[in-house]
Amino acid sequence: MLAIVGSNLYTVSAVCPHCKDTILPAGHLAAACPLIVELTKNADIFATKKLGSSPTVAHSMTHELAMQFTRPVVDAIVGLACAPVQGVQIDFTDATYNQASAVVKAAVYGHCSFAEASAVLAEKLDAATSIEAIEKIRGAMDSLKSAGETAVHSATGTFLFVWAKVSNVISKRSEFSYKLEAVAKSKSAVHAVTLVRPEKESEFYEMTHLFIMTVIALGLASATIVIKFIDDTVFGTIRMGEPFTVAHELVLCYFREMDFDPARLLHMGNVFRRGGQDTLLSEARRNAAAFFRAGGGILQPKGNNDDKLGNVKTIKNTKPNGKSDESSKKPCPDFNGGRPCKNLKPDGTCTFSHKCNQFVSDKGPGGYCMGPHARCTGCDYDAGKKLRAPAA
Ligand SMILES: [Zn+2]
Ligand SMILES: [Zn+2]
Ligand SMILES: [Zn+2]
């Protein structure tokens, strides 16, 4: 009897406290848990700005999330997060750039020019003493040459990039296309991601949940820091009675503050308490009104009898085919908001034209920019003629 109790106690205490033995190898020590080893290693990459290394997310993300955060994407995030302060020339004698591969990545992620990178590699080649070192540098020089067209020229910030990637996890669920990506797929396609704004409040909360998971898994911030940040910015805003659309835009404002802080001093632990909340909140309200416009297919309360009367136009099983009706005088609100089109012809063609819906002052009453771009990606119309509301 005593022996049985004893052995039970033993098995209980041997369960790994981190993964509860859900990760192999079986019977590993707590300190050697692959989950903890992975998370510590990832956090270390960002803390020490190890440009040549790549975080691993095998154990800490859901399968669906891991499909968005593939190796090239994760590499790009390291590149963004380790970028030097704007306008400052990077110091190639720094330990960060010891490895030849780190120099290549510095060029690809826009920390320096390609000419600078190849000069640094040539210098390293001169100084190399062993055949092995020479081979390594030659390899780096070759990949620098082939990386030319994949470089990130103007980058958004790390957090905005992660948030946009997360938004794609949710929006891609309804897209039942499965593909094997070709090996030679250009990197620039991997790095381009469009933010898809949530259509429902529940989607927004799921995005924050996935964002937290990603930030922790990658090692960008600790759980305590990111969860408190979300509590302040998202749930604090909701508790004040603001709609979720304002909370969404406010989070984006805070991401921008951190991502584009020229001194790189702001992070999730200090950005909220630094003050200036009112300014950002009023900006968020304006943005929410602009990006979540009524008539854009969201936030339209449904009447009780609408279903029976056929008032609600729902086209089931039709997916946007990427085409649009360019003869339409109305620019598509979904195209301009970076969302999948909702007003579709039976074949999936959008009923509106895919032109910019920025209101402008010199195109008659209610005039739009109608330029060949989406308003969410930036409108290049004369700033003095842009209007917040339709021209009378
Ligand atoms: Zn474990
Ligand atoms: Zn459209
Ligand atoms: Zn425009």
Side-chain angles (χ1 to χ4, degrees):
M1 187 63 199
L2 247 175
I4 293 166
V5 173
S7 71
N8 266 347
L9 275 177
Y10 177 74
T11 10
V12 167
S13 66
V15 171
C16 170
H18 306 298
C19 68
K20 301 289 174 200
D21 283 357
T22 57
I23 297 174
L24 293 172
H28 58 251
L29 293 171
C33 177
L35 180 65
I36 291 303
V37 171
E38 180 177 293
L39 290 178
T40 322
K41 217 183 105 232
N42 291 353
D44 191 49
I45 291 173
F46 292 100
T48 56
K49 303 204 182 299
K50 271 190 214 152
L51 200 54
S53 23
S54 189
T56 43
V57 291
H59 301 299
S60 38
M61 276 186 180
T62 63
H63 179 65
E64 198 181 30
L65 204 50
M67 272 167 51
Q68 285 289 323
F69 290 89
T70 53
R71 178 72 188 261
V73 171
V74 167
D75 275 348
I77 292 172
V78 176
L80 288 174
C82 298
V85 174
Q86 262 166 7
V88 171
Q89 232 176 355
I90 59 172
D91 176 11
F92 280 105
T93 57
D94 192 272
T96 314
Y97 303 106
N98 264 349
Q99 285 175 300
S101 62
V103 177
V104 177
K105 286 195 174 157
V108 170
Y109 299 125
H111 300 189
C112 67
S113 70
F114 275 77
E116 270 179 283
S118 58
V120 170
L121 287 178
E123 233 170 76
K124 279 189 190 289
L125 193 60
D126 284 343
T129 47
S130 69
I131 302 275
E132 201 192 329
I134 291 172
E135 287 292 307
K136 257 192 193 161
I137 297 164
R138 284 252 162 80
M141 288 173 123
D142 286 343
S143 52
L144 186 66
K145 266 181 226 145
S146 60
E149 72 276 19
T150 69
V152 177
H153 291 297
S154 64
T156 51
T158 319
F159 292 120
L160 284 169
F161 183 78
V162 172
W163 185 259
K165 269 280 171 200
V166 161
S167 78
N168 278 259
V169 173
I170 291 163
S171 66
K172 290 233 160 80
R173 260 181 212 149
S174 53
E175 226 175 72
F176 293 101
S177 64
Y178 300 93
K179 56 183 179 217
L180 289 169
E181 275 172 18
V183 183
K185 187 179 176 186
S186 98
K187 265 203 185 137
S188 48
V190 171
H191 295 152
V193 55
T194 314
L195 168 67
V196 185
R197 287 187 159 76
E199 293 187 13
K200 289 180 287 193
E201 190 156 7
S202 59
E203 280 180 3
F204 172 53
Y205 293 139
E206 193 181 355
M207 275 169 76
T208 64
H209 171 73
L210 295 176
F211 174 79
I212 293 173
M213 202 190 298
T214 309
V215 165
I216 298 173
L218 288 175
L220 282 164
S222 72
T224 346
I225 294 288
V226 59
I227 291 169
K228 273 173 89 173
F229 169 78
I230 292 292
D231 187 75
D232 282 335
T233 54
V234 173
F235 295 100
T237 311
I238 299 290
R239 283 193 291 266
M240 287 192 309
E242 296 284 345
F244 84 92
T245 52
V246 172
H248 178 270
E249 296 305 314
L250 185 66
V251 174
L252 291 188
C253 288
Y254 278 106
F255 287 156
R256 183 200 58 206
E257 293 293 295
M258 294 185 285
D259 283 340
F260 298 108
D261 172 26
R264 296 267 183 281
L265 292 174
L266 294 177
H267 51 73
M268 287 202 250
N270 65 10
V271 70
F272 184 75
R273 311 240 165 251
R274 159 190 81 109
Q277 284 118 329
D278 292 349
T279 322
L280 289 180
L281 184 61
S282 53
E283 185 185 344
R285 286 197 188 116
R286 278 199 308 276
N287 290 350
F291 292 121
F292 291 87
R293 270 188 203 167
I298 22 168
L299 302 177
Q300 296 248 30
K302 212 156 114 180
N304 275 338
N305 290 316
D306 278 357
D307 279 342
K308 282 177 228 149
L309 298 171
N311 286 346
V312 176
K313 231 202 313 177
T314 42
I315 302 173
K316 287 193 182 107
N317 303 323
T318 307
K319 304 265 172 281
N321 66 5
K323 289 184 208 143
S324 56
D325 183 355
E326 292 308 295
S327 67
S328 168
K329 295 265 183 298
K330 187 168 161 32
C332 175
D334 297 314
F335 166 73
N336 278 285
R339 296 178 302 265
C341 300
K342 273 186 293 296
N343 298 287
L344 304 171
K345 298 178 182 182
D347 71 339
T349 303
C350 178
T351 56
F352 302 125
S353 63
H354 282 188
K355 291 173 184 154
C356 176
N357 71 350
Q358 169 70 48
F359 291 124
V360 294
S361 58
D362 61 343
K363 291 216 176 159
Y368 297 107
C369 157
M370 296 302 253
H373 50 257
R375 190 165 46 89
C376 66
T377 58
C379 172
D380 54 9
Y381 209 82
D382 182 354
K385 290 177 182 155
K386 284 187 188 178
L387 296 178
R388 285 249 167 78

